[in-house]
Amino acid sequence: LGYVGLPLAAHLSRHFKVIGYDISKENIAELKRGHDRTMELSEAELKKAKIQFTSKAADLSACKLFIVAVPTPVDHFHVPDLGAIENASTIIGRQLSPGSCVVYESTVYPGVTEDVCVPILESESKLKFGRDFTVGYSPERINPGDKVHTISNTVKIISASDTATLNLLEGIYGAVVKVNLHRATSIKVAEAA
């Protein structure tokens, strides 16, 4: 629930039931008190958002759609640190149930969603990708601190492991993005974007 996840959760909460999860108990306590440390949302905007804030992973078991927005910083050799996305996949995998969909928004190189995240989801959930759950990838397109180019007025790229999931994501993101959604031909193409 940082610069990307919190604004997205707030926008989605206008249309859907949203559980906002963060591993930081301190961040969750601040959000519950109406304070956004990223300053992406004002106190009024945060109060208006209908988000169930939690740091308890078990609360995610009620979810069928998971949207992951975690940092993927690079080191001084420009090698991405996938630790947060791997940890998020582990946490979600343990709460995954048949019929679920996991969408990644974190900036990654082509192949991370399917080659790194999916095996973790399968291992932790004991479910089979493509049969029991699906995945999607939609790169975050907002610029933290930019109040002009926001979630609702910036073209959003979406991709998924199958057409039905892509259609689902079009409906979900289409509820908050008021300009075009671009349906990428594959997850790897969207990751490259």
Side-chain angles (χ1 to χ4, degrees):
L1 294 172
Y3 293 100
V4 174
L6 183 60
L8 180 60
H11 277 78
L12 289 171
S13 76
R14 297 175 190 161
H15 307 278
F16 307 100
K17 180 181 177 190
V18 174
I19 297 175
Y21 173 81
D22 198 298
I23 60 173
S24 169
K25 291 179 183 177
E26 295 80 20
N27 191 27
I28 292 298
E30 286 179 10
L31 291 168
K32 285 180 176 180
R33 287 193 307 267
H35 175 70
D36 170 21
R37 64 174 66 177
T38 69
M39 297 186 290
E40 288 295 314
L41 298 181
S42 68
E43 192 174 314
E45 289 170 319
L46 191 54
K47 184 179 254 186
K48 195 168 141 184
K50 295 175 183 165
I51 303 170
Q52 175 191 333
F53 293 112
T54 186
S55 60
K56 296 176 186 170
D59 290 344
L60 298 175
S61 65
C63 300
K64 284 297 196 181
L65 175 68
F66 301 84
I67 299 177
V68 179
V70 295
T72 49
V74 295
D75 65 18
H76 62 284
F77 295 111
H78 303 290
V79 175
D81 177 355
L82 300 179
I85 204 165
E86 291 169 334
N87 186 47
S89 298
T90 298
I91 291 167
I92 291 168
R94 292 176 181 162
Q95 305 305 322
L96 214 54
S97 61
S100 294
C101 175
V102 183
V103 182
Y104 293 90
E105 289 216 3
S106 302
T107 303
V108 296
Y109 56 84
V112 169
T113 301
E114 294 159 302
D115 301 337
V116 176
C117 300
V118 164
I120 295 170
L121 293 170
E122 285 184 318
S123 175
E124 295 297 329
S125 69
K126 308 299 183 240
L127 299 175
K128 182 75 177 140
F129 169 61
R131 182 190 70 201
D132 300 318
F133 70 93
T134 60
V135 296
Y137 181 79
S138 181
E140 60 93 357
R141 304 275 295 171
I142 60 170
N143 183 24
D146 186 341
K147 301 298 183 190
V148 176
H149 304 96
T150 65
I151 292 168
S152 62
N153 67 14
T154 303
V155 174
K156 183 83 169 137
I157 298 167
I158 57 173
S159 65
S161 54
D162 59 62
T163 303
T165 303
L166 188 57
N167 292 338
L168 169 72
L169 298 184
E170 187 171 50
I172 301 279
Y173 285 111
V176 297
V177 176
K178 300 307 174 201
V179 293
N180 292 338
L181 290 172
H182 177 79
R183 293 168 62 115
T185 56
S186 72
I187 288 175
K188 285 183 176 73
V189 166
E191 289 170 325

